[in-house]
């Protein structure tokens, strides 16, 4: 709520700013396409004389943009796109693979290490410096290869969900992606469409636009053709449409004038540098980063200072401290996160769930409340006409014929109700012709069409029963037309309630004879005659009850939010097994204060008769009550709730504005698909946490041990190049973690970041690892009598193998032999163990400063690792039991 309020306040400040009466000269290169050299001359003339596009005549506008009512030609579009680029607030993010590669080395610690290594190259040991540089480069290349694959995968997924707009090209209507709109395009707009550019209206019909995101204006703004003074403020330009706003009702043709960053919204975004709000997942990563940074900095300073105190070479001390920092830092975390999220996105796409914003995957898995509409989600979504009946409850051919005329000639907003009427039957309407129309909107809740026949005009209105009855003064019955008094009205409402109890949706139908009238307006919707009721049904999906039960087992509570009346909502609840469901209506919500709504919202199961502007309030109340809220919607009036929710979920067939506001788009409007997506989201989060646990257990323990050993031993326990090799090898199995299997128990409940839990995990398993490290030190020094080279080789082998084995233990909360790891993780672990055992006996081992180890030490090391694994398994059991996990 606070975020939305602040955004609106910032945008409201723009209302009083007068436009500076200048237009980007790029818009006018079309004035003389064959003389591009005249562009600069034309620009100079424009600066002196051109008026803002909302203040000039349509003829001047056509001439200025060098286009016609037929729209642009294909060649013209290509030329303009090459000059203007894509129609986007931000430039298209084209990944430069070279920059992506360089990005793998942007960590301050890595940069300092590179600098120190280069210094060592010139001052001391070129061979060691070359080895260290090679390891850093190999590590960076591996990370780059993985992240590049993640970027490619995400780009392909986003291509599946595009918002398109209808334009005229070569005189034909065609749908094109919003990004491909260019100045001069003639755009055709209907209810639900997003405005793709700053436009001037050419013609309109009952056009209302929601400009709240730009101006902060709560109510839809009426738009119409005309000329507005050049000094008009943003909210006074009623003949113009602006990027990012959307059509609430009505229709229009408009011409795109300004695109991309030059639009009003683009200029505001550029000034404010707006960013998407930080998700809980991103917040958790940031807090974890702070924890690691604090520990790393303390360790670097302490180790460097103590080694200098003992008069060890300063350069060696610096390289050693920095190498330790690399070992301590989970430097692969950004790459691992990208890999995990993109892998999760690919898996979710296989389940017909497309992720638009990767960071929302974690929120998807953390979600514990899902707000859903009824139609198409809980029901089949294929609304069918049950019957058309008169005011007395009997089937009537006249009622159906009038309903058919209304639906057949409706052009403002495609909806399943009109499709159901048209599909039911096709009465003969050849004698009728359409004269006019008042499109449906969410304020009137009515749709009116004026039809003519034999020189006489009839206005037919269809809509919510109460909205229709409110404009009626009479009713048609068998005996003729009689006044609509309280008794008659009560009888119609009783009939309506009886139908609602059966789970049927009912609309009212009325008409009015207007003689020879050929045009109508909203004021004509009065003194009408109530004709009858149109009754629809939409059966529940066959498997929906089981799906809801599965969601409940996953810890996700379903809240049904519907505009349907309480009776229909209650009937649906009963069919879903919610016989004791708590229901609240929109009127009840309006009567509650924000605090009262927050206190009561968790106990409510069904919210019926909800107004569009109440949906966002419901979502915010659920969030304040401590929930991670998902909202699934596909209509114009769902946009604000989708934006407010932690996870906005829409469908590929949704209105543009809903699809744009969503974080996740379902290719199938099916809660079963959603359930599978939730599991994949939780799997992705679980695998990300696995890496965090791995990086904060054996790796941290090894680095702590190394730091401690360096303080009491006469030589460095590992050389910088050996530390980096150890870190590289222990990271390799962890890079496969995105493909690892996840225990089903880990996906059964919503999970969130818990930094305190991670810190305690690090301390527990890090200290355990250090205990066995010091046991290894004792064996190497006291039993083996190892030289520095043998000591380093022995600890290198033990630390890498133990770190690799411990991964298999801490990846699951179960006994590790009962949880099958992913095949790539097993293969990488086996490969690393084999390589580590071989290296000390090869020339590569000699290059790194290792010496061969006696066989009996390897046997002792094997025993140490077995005891360590058993101890880690016991510690894991005690640790999770302490947390009741």
């Amino acid at each position: 709520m606070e975020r939305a309020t602040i955004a609106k306040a910032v945008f409201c400040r723009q209302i009083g700013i007068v436009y500076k009466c200048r237009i980007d000269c790029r818009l006018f290169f079309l004035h003389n396409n064959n003389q591009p050299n005249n562009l600069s001359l034309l620009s100079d003339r424009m600066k002196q004389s051109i008026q803002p596009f909302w203040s000039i005549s349509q003829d001047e506008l056509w001439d200025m943009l060098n286009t016609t009512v037929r729209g642009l030609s294909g060649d013209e579009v290509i030329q303009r796109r090459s000059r203007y680029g894509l129609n986007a607030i931000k430039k298209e993010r084209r990944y430069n693979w070279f920059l992506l590669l360089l990005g793998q080395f942007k960590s301050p610690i890595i940069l300092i290490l590179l600098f120190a290594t280069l210094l060592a190259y010139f001052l001391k040991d070129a061979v060691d410096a070359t080895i260290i540089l090679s390891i850093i480069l190999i590590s960076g290349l591996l990370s780059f290869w993985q992240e590049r694959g993640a970027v490619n995968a995400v780009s392909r997924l986003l291509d599946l969900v595009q918002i398109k707009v209808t334009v005229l090209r070569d005189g034909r209507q065609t749908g094109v992606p919003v990004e491909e709109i260019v100045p001069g395009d003639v755009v055709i707009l209907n209810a639900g469409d997003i405005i793709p550019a700053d436009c001037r209206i050419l013609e309109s019909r009952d056009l209302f636009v929601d400009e709240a995101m730009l101006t902060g204006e709560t109510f839809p703004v009426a738009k119409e053709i005309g000329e507005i003074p050049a000094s008009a403020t943003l909210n006074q330009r009623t003949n113009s449409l602006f990027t990012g706003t959307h059509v609430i009702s009505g229709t229009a043709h408009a011409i795109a004038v300004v695109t991309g960053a030059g639009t009003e919204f683009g200029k505001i975004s550029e000034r404010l540098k707006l960013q998407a709000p930080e998700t809980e997942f991103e917040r958790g990563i940031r807090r974890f980063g702070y924890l690691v940074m604090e520990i790393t900095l303390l360790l670097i300073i302490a180790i460097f200072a103590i080694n200098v105190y003992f008069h060890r070479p300063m350069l060696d001390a610096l390289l050693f401290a920095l190498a330790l920092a690399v070992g301590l830092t989970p430097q692969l975390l950004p790459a691992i996160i990208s890999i995990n999220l993109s892998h999760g996105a690919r898996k979710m796409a296989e389940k017909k769930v497309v992720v638009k914003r990767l960071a929302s995957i974690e929120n998807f898995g953390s979600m514990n409340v899902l707000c859903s509409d009824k139609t198409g989600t809980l029901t089949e979504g294929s609304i069918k006409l049950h019957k058309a009946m008169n005011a007395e409850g009997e089937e009537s051919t006249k009622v159906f014929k009038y309903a058919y005329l209304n639906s057949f000639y409706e052009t403002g907003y495609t909806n399943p109700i009109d499709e159901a009427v048209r599909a039911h039957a096709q009465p003969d309407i050849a004698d009728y012709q359409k004269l006019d129309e008042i499109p449906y909107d969410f304020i009137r809740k009515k749709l009116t069409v004026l039809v003519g026949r034999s020189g006489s005009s009839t206005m037919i209105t269809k809509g919510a029963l109460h909205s229709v009855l409110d404009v009626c003064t009479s009713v048609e019955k068998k005996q003729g037309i009689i006044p609509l008094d309280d008794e008659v009205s009560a009888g119609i409402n009783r009939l309506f309630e009886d139908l609602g109890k059966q789970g049927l949706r009912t609309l009212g139908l009325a008409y009015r004879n207007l003689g020879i009238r050929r045009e109508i307006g909203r004021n004509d919707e009065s003194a009408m005659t109530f004709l009858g009721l149109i009754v629809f049904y939409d059966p529940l999906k066959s498997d929906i009850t089981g799906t809801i039960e599965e969601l409940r087992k996953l810890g996700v509570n379903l809240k049904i939010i519907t505009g349907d009346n309480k009776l229909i909502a209650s009937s649906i609840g009963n069919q879903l097994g919610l016989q004791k469901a708590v229901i609240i209506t929109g009127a009840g919500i309006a009567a509650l204060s924000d605090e009262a709504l927050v206190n009561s919202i968790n106990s409510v199961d069904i919210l019926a008769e909800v107004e569009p502007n109440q949906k966002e309030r419901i979502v915010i109340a659920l969030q304040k009550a401590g929930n991670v809220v998902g909202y699934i919607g596909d209509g114009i009036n769902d946009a604000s709730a989708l934006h407010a929710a932690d996870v906005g979920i829409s469908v590929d067939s949704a209105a543009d504005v809903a699809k744009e506001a969503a974080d996740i788009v379902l290719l199938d409007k099916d809660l079963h698909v959603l359930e599978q997506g939730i599991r994949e989201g939780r799997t992705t989060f679980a695998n990300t946490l696995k890496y965090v646990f791995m990086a904060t257990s054996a790796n941290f323990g090894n680095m702590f041990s190394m730091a401690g050993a360096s303080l009491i031993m006469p030589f460095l326990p590992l050389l910088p190049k050996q530390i980096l090799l150890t870190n590289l090898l222990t990271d390799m199995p962890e890079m496969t973690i995105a493909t690892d299997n996840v225990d089903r128990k880990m996906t059964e409940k919503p999970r969130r970041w818990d930094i305190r839990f991670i810190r305690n995990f690090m301390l527990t398993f890090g200290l355990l690892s250090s205990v066995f490290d010091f046991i290894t030190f004792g064996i190497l020094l006291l039993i083996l009598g190892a030289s520095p080279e043998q000591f380093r080789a022995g600890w290198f082998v033990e630390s890498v193998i133990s770190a690799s084995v411990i991964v298999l233990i801490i990846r699951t909360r179960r006994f590790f032999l009962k949880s099958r790891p992913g095949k790539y993780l097993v293969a990488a672990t086996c490969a690393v163990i084999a390589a580590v055992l071989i290296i000390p006996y090869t020339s590569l081992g000699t290059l790194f400063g290792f010496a061969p180890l006696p066989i009996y030490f390897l046997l002792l090391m094997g025993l140490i690792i077995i005891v360590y694994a058993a101890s880690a398994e016991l510690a894991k059991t005690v640790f999770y039991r302490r947390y009741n996990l």
Side-chain angles (χ1 to χ4, degrees):
M1 183 69 176
E2 294 174 358
R3 188 168 69 240
T5 303
I6 292 170
K8 287 182 179 179
V10 171
F11 284 124
C12 281
R13 283 168 30 200
Q14 307 303 322
I15 296 176
I17 299 175
V18 178
Y19 193 85
K20 298 300 182 182
C21 300
R22 53 197 171 113
I23 296 180
D24 188 342
C25 66
R26 292 176 302 167
L27 292 176
F28 302 95
F29 81 93
L30 305 167
H31 187 75
N32 191 336
N33 198 41
N34 296 323
Q35 300 177 27
N37 292 330
N38 290 341
L39 179 59
S40 60
L41 295 175
L42 180 60
S43 300
D44 291 337
R45 290 200 301 268
M46 285 191 309
K47 289 176 183 177
Q48 298 173 7
S49 60
I50 293 296
Q51 295 294 307
F53 70 85
W54 57 86
S55 65
I56 61 177
S57 67
Q58 284 197 17
D59 289 339
E60 290 177 289
L61 193 63
W62 289 118
D63 182 60
M64 183 180 83
L65 295 168
N66 194 22
T67 188
T68 69
V69 291
R70 290 176 51 82
L72 300 171
S73 66
D75 291 340
E76 197 72 45
V77 170
I78 293 172
Q79 291 180 30
R80 299 190 186 201
R81 193 178 301 139
S82 69
R83 300 207 183 197
Y84 301 135
L86 291 178
N87 175 33
I89 300 301
K90 296 179 180 178
K91 291 183 179 179
E92 182 185 25
R93 187 176 181 183
R94 296 184 180 276
Y95 281 93
N96 183 307
W97 303 123
F98 179 70
L99 295 178
L100 186 63
L101 176 60
L102 290 181
Q104 309 306 316
F105 308 99
K106 65 183 180 182
S107 163
I109 293 176
I110 294 293
L111 292 176
I112 295 172
L113 185 60
L114 285 170
F115 173 76
T117 306
L118 290 173
L119 188 63
Y121 180 84
F122 289 108
L123 298 180
K124 188 180 179 184
D125 191 341
V127 175
D128 281 4
T130 301
I131 292 172
I132 293 173
L133 280 173
S134 299
I135 294 172
I136 294 172
L137 288 173
I138 291 170
S139 178
L141 286 170
L142 285 173
S143 178
F144 164 75
W145 176 66
Q146 293 273 18
E147 197 163 347
R148 182 175 182 272
V151 168
N152 285 334
V154 172
S155 297
R156 287 193 296 270
L157 287 176
L158 290 178
D159 288 340
L160 294 176
V161 182
Q162 280 190 330
I163 294 176
K164 292 190 173 183
V165 63
T166 303
V167 298
L168 287 176
R169 297 269 173 89
D170 292 314
R172 295 189 301 272
Q173 291 189 19
T174 182
V176 300
V178 169
E179 294 81 6
E180 296 182 11
I181 295 296
V182 296
D185 262 326
V186 177
V187 184
I188 299 172
L189 299 165
N190 292 297
D193 289 345
I194 279 182
I195 309 299
D198 284 2
C199 304
R200 173 75 177 271
I201 299 171
L202 302 175
E203 58 181 79
S204 66
R205 176 67 175 162
D206 298 305
L207 183 64
F208 283 81
V209 175
D210 183 348
E211 294 185 341
M213 70 176 296
L214 189 62
T215 67
E217 175 59 50
T218 303
F219 298 101
V221 179
K223 297 285 188 175
E224 57 190 2
I225 62 173
E227 296 172 22
I228 305 296
S231 60
T233 57
L234 192 64
N235 64 334
Q236 293 172 338
R237 301 173 203 164
T238 54
N239 65 350
S240 303
L241 306 172
F242 303 104
T243 297
T245 61
H246 65 274
V247 180
I248 290 290
S249 63
T251 60
H253 284 205
I255 185 168
V257 181
V258 185
T259 59
T263 61
E264 292 295 333
F265 184 69
K267 288 184 284 187
I268 293 172
S269 297
E270 181 63 25
R271 286 195 294 270
L272 299 178
K273 299 292 184 183
L274 295 178
Q275 294 182 346
E278 186 179 47
T279 66
E280 183 182 338
F281 181 67
E282 293 165 332
R283 188 160 50 250
I285 292 170
R286 175 171 51 78
R287 291 169 61 200
F288 173 67
Y290 290 154
L291 173 66
V292 172
M293 183 177 65
E294 289 169 5
I295 295 172
T296 301
L297 287 175
L298 286 173
L299 191 62
I300 288 176
I301 294 170
I303 296 299
F304 179 70
I306 293 172
N307 276 276
V308 170
Y309 177 78
F310 284 121
H311 304 293
R312 291 171 181 167
M314 185 172 294
L315 186 59
D316 283 350
L318 176 63
L319 280 171
F320 180 73
L322 290 173
L324 274 182
V326 172
L328 275 168
T329 305
Q331 60 192 23
L332 284 180
L333 184 59
I336 292 292
I337 289 171
S338 295
I339 295 163
N340 277 339
L341 293 181
S342 63
H343 184 270
R346 286 198 300 271
K347 296 289 288 182
M348 290 170 73
E350 292 173 7
K351 311 292 186 184
K352 297 186 177 181
V353 180
V354 176
V355 180
K356 289 176 58 185
R357 186 182 179 196
L358 286 182
S360 66
I361 290 179
E362 187 276 337
N363 279 351
F364 201 31
S366 300
M367 179 176 68
N368 69 309
V369 169
L370 174 64
C371 299
S372 173
D373 62 357
K374 175 180 66 67
T375 304
T377 306
L378 307 178
T379 64
E380 291 291 346
S382 55
I383 296 176
K384 297 179 181 178
L385 181 66
H386 179 57
K387 64 173 66 174
M389 59 177 63
N390 59 26
E392 295 163 299
E394 300 172 347
E395 283 203 61
S396 167
T397 55
K398 181 177 180 180
V399 172
F400 175 71
K401 186 172 184 177
Y402 273 44
Y404 185 86
L405 284 166
N406 180 281
S407 295
F408 184 81
Y409 287 121
E410 178 271 331
T411 59
Y413 178 49
T414 303
N415 63 84
I417 287 176
D418 289 315
E419 291 175 358
V421 173
R422 292 192 292 263
H424 185 72
Q426 289 81 39
D428 182 12
I429 60 170
D431 295 342
Y432 291 88
Q433 62 177 349
K434 178 181 177 180
L435 301 176
D436 204 355
E437 177 183 3
I438 306 175
Y440 179 88
D441 65 57
F442 298 103
I443 299 173
R444 293 165 41 251
K445 295 186 178 181
K446 296 187 290 290
L447 165 65
T448 298
V449 171
L450 181 67
V451 296
R453 181 190 185 196
S454 302
S456 178
S457 301
T458 303
M459 183 173 70
I460 305 171
T461 296
K462 173 178 91 261
L465 178 64
H466 297 297
S467 298
V468 173
L469 283 176
D470 285 345
V471 297
C472 291
T473 56
S474 59
V475 58
E476 184 173 309
K477 290 196 169 187
K478 291 180 183 176
Q479 64 269 35
I481 296 175
I482 62 173
L484 181 64
D485 56 23
D486 290 343
E487 183 179 350
V488 175
S489 182
I492 294 172
N493 279 304
R494 279 195 299 272
L495 179 59
F496 173 76
E497 290 177 5
D498 290 340
L499 293 167
K501 289 177 182 177
Q502 302 172 44
L504 299 171
R505 181 173 183 179
T506 305
L507 298 181
L509 188 72
Y511 73 96
R512 179 183 173 190
N513 293 320
L514 294 178
I516 58 173
R517 290 273 299 276
R518 301 187 68 83
E519 292 183 354
I520 53 174
R522 283 178 169 77
N523 292 334
D524 293 311
E525 290 178 329
S526 61
M528 301 189 73
T529 299
F530 186 81
L531 184 59
L533 303 169
I534 320 163
V535 185
F536 302 87
Y537 70 99
D538 183 11
L540 288 178
K541 291 186 174 179
S542 57
D543 59 345
I544 190 61
T545 305
T547 301
I548 291 175
E549 183 58 32
E550 281 299 315
L551 286 173
R552 190 175 291 115
K553 289 179 181 177
L554 287 171
V556 180
N557 295 317
L558 182 67
K559 307 280 186 186
I560 301 174
I561 300 178
T562 177
D564 286 337
N565 67 74
K566 185 177 180 179
L567 297 171
I568 294 177
S570 177
S571 173
I572 292 294
N574 288 334
Q575 294 176 57
L576 292 172
L578 303 174
Q579 283 81 9
K580 296 182 180 179
V582 177
I583 303 176
I584 187 172
T585 64
I589 294 170
L592 292 175
S593 66
D594 287 343
E595 185 178 354
L597 184 60
V598 169
N599 291 334
S600 61
I601 193 68
N602 281 337
S603 63
V604 177
D605 301 298
I606 300 174
L607 301 101
E609 300 173 24
V610 171
E611 297 289 338
N613 56 6
Q614 292 178 320
K615 295 182 178 181
E616 181 181 6
R617 187 179 176 216
I618 292 168
V619 169
I620 292 170
L622 284 165
Q623 291 170 327
K624 288 184 176 180
N627 302 291
V628 177
V629 183
Y631 184 93
I632 179 169
D634 62 357
I636 307 165
N637 56 359
D638 292 312
S640 60
L642 285 166
H643 184 266
D646 296 292
V647 187
I649 306 163
S650 193
V651 292
D652 195 36
S653 58
D656 287 349
V657 65
K659 198 157 53 172
E660 175 68 16
D663 300 304
I664 290 172
V665 176
L666 306 182
L667 301 182
D668 234 347
K669 191 173 184 180
D670 187 343
L671 286 187
H672 181 63
V673 171
L674 196 63
E675 174 224 327
Q676 294 175 317
I678 289 170
R679 289 190 182 277
E680 289 297 339
R682 292 180 182 176
T683 297
T684 299
F685 183 47
N687 279 334
T688 302
L689 283 182
K690 281 181 191 178
Y691 175 77
V692 171
F693 291 152
M694 293 168 187
T696 54
S697 55
N699 287 3
F700 269 72
N702 287 341
M703 296 306 124
F704 288 144
S705 302
M706 205 177 310
S710 70
L711 304 180
I712 60 175
M713 295 175 60
F715 56 87
L716 291 176
L718 282 181
L719 299 175
K721 60 186 176 183
Q722 296 166 346
I723 295 174
L724 295 176
L725 180 62
T726 300
N727 191 51
L728 174 65
L729 291 174
T730 54
D731 275 344
M732 281 186 172
E734 295 166 4
M735 292 185 76
T736 66
I737 203 65
T739 62
D740 189 29
N741 300 319
V742 172
D743 296 340
R744 188 173 181 84
K745 197 173 184 66
M746 293 293 292
T747 65
E748 288 178 350
K749 291 182 180 179
R751 311 256 175 213
R752 304 190 192 185
W753 281 92
D754 187 340
I755 299 301
R756 180 172 173 270
F757 180 87
I758 294 172
R759 185 185 66 243
N760 291 341
F761 190 97
M762 177 186 70
L763 292 173
T764 300
F765 289 89
L767 290 175
L768 179 66
S769 174
S770 291
V771 168
F772 284 90
D773 285 338
F774 281 104
I775 291 174
T776 302
F777 296 164
I779 291 174
L780 285 168
L781 294 173
L782 302 177
I783 298 178
L784 182 62
S787 65
E789 290 76 15
Q790 283 183 317
F791 180 92
R792 291 162 181 158
W795 193 32
F796 164 74
V797 171
E798 187 273 339
S799 63
V800 174
I801 293 179
S802 64
S804 300
V805 170
I806 205 68
V807 165
L808 302 177
I809 294 174
I810 64 176
R811 58 169 291 278
T812 176
R813 293 180 180 178
R814 303 165 63 196
F815 179 55
F816 78 101
L817 292 178
K818 292 184 178 181
S819 177
R820 183 170 60 87
K823 59 182 180 180
Y824 295 111
L825 176 59
V826 172
T829 300
C830 292
V832 166
I833 291 174
V836 166
L837 289 172
I838 293 171
I839 284 175
Y841 303 95
T842 65
S843 57
L844 182 63
T846 303
L847 188 64
F848 273 92
F850 295 133
L853 295 164
I855 298 300
Y856 73 87
F857 170 74
L858 295 180
L859 296 176
L860 285 173
M861 186 201 66
L863 180 62
I864 291 172
I865 291 174
I866 290 172
V867 176
Y868 174 40
S871 300
E873 187 64 48
L874 178 62
K876 180 179 72 176
T877 302
V878 173
F879 183 82
Y880 285 126
R881 187 175 296 162
R882 177 185 172 190
Y883 281 91
N884 297 319
L885 297 174

